């Protein structure tokens, strides 16, 4: 397939560069105790939401055991609050503490800045092509994930 090798190189580099950028911004902020994995868990929890562990694990495509390790670390760091369901003590709900909400908001700002700088020099037709292309790539990834 034409360009597949080059596309693979660019895709892998882009993915790694975004993770590196995210990590470097975290390291330079008041949230230097967070890892990329931590911030992905924080994003999956979301602001003003109370989710159970199963919902978050499904969203992140990880096991409950793996998620439990991350959540416990975030609780120790003060970013997440855990509470058991009143109806079913086996169910654990998590939400973000004020510190967790601040980290979430900072990460949103990071992505807004990154996206704005990526798009500022694109013409409208280039933006349309990029959006359609990224949607196709994302759809392919989701189909192959199952």
């Amino acid at each position: 397939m034409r360009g597949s090798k080059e596309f693979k190189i660019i895709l892998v580099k882009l993915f790694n560069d975004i993770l590196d950028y995210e990590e470097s911004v975290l390291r330079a902020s008041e949230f230097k105790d967070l890892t990329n994995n931590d911030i992905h868990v924080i994003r999956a929890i979301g602001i003003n939401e109370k989710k159970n562990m199963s919902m978050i694990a499904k969203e992140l495509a990880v096991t409950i055991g793996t998620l439990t390790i991350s959540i416990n670390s975030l609780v120790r760091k003060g970013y997440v609050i855990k509470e058991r369901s009143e109806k079913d003590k086996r169910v654990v709900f998590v939400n973000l503490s004020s510190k967790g909400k601040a980290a979430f908001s900072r990460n949103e700002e990071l992505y807004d800045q990154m996206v704005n700088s990526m798009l500022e020099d694109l013409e409208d037709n280039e933006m349309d092509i990029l959006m359609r292309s990224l949607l196709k790539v994302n759809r392919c990834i989701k189909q192959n994930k199952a």
Side-chain angles (χ1 to χ4, degrees):
M1 177 178 256
R2 182 180 72 84
S4 65
K5 183 177 181 178
E6 292 84 0
F7 181 80
K8 180 180 86 173
I9 291 168
I10 290 170
L11 186 65
V12 170
K13 181 151 180 41
L14 178 63
F15 179 77
N16 289 330
D17 286 347
I18 289 172
L19 288 176
D20 289 347
Y21 175 70
E22 186 177 44
E23 188 172 345
S24 71
V25 170
L26 283 172
R27 296 287 164 246
S29 76
E30 68 270 28
F31 306 110
K32 53 178 99 314
D33 60 336
L34 290 175
T35 65
N36 280 347
N37 183 60
D38 289 339
I39 203 69
H40 293 149
V41 172
I42 286 171
R43 289 186 67 77
I45 295 169
I47 288 193
N48 299 325
E49 295 190 41
K50 186 191 265 186
K51 293 184 177 176
N52 68 39
M53 296 284 282
S54 297
M55 294 166 68
I56 299 165
K58 183 177 180 183
E59 185 174 333
L60 293 172
V62 298
T63 66
I64 296 282
T66 297
L67 180 61
T68 299
I69 293 167
S70 294
I71 292 292
N72 288 342
S73 171
L74 288 167
V75 167
R76 278 191 304 279
K77 293 175 184 179
Y79 292 95
V80 170
I81 300 165
K82 282 189 343 185
E83 59 186 67
R84 294 218 177 264
S85 168
E86 293 292 323
K87 295 178 184 174
D88 184 348
K89 296 295 183 191
R90 296 171 297 176
V91 177
V92 176
F93 289 105
V94 294
N95 54 13
L96 298 179
S97 66
S98 57
K99 186 177 177 181
K101 289 176 183 176
F104 181 97
S105 295
R106 178 62 187 112
N107 191 256
E108 278 291 297
E109 292 170 10
L110 160 72
Y111 276 108
D112 288 346
Q113 291 168 354
M114 185 172 55
V115 167
N116 289 338
S117 78
M118 287 177 186
L119 302 180
E120 69 186 355
D121 292 331
L122 292 182
E123 303 290 333
D124 287 345
N125 65 327
E126 292 173 316
M127 174 66 135
D128 292 340
I129 292 167
L130 178 61
M131 290 298 293
R132 283 195 312 273
S133 299
L134 289 174
L135 286 169
K136 285 180 182 180
V137 168
N138 191 38
R139 192 170 32 250
C140 180
I141 290 169
K142 284 188 178 279
Q143 287 172 349
N144 290 328
K145 189 168 92 170

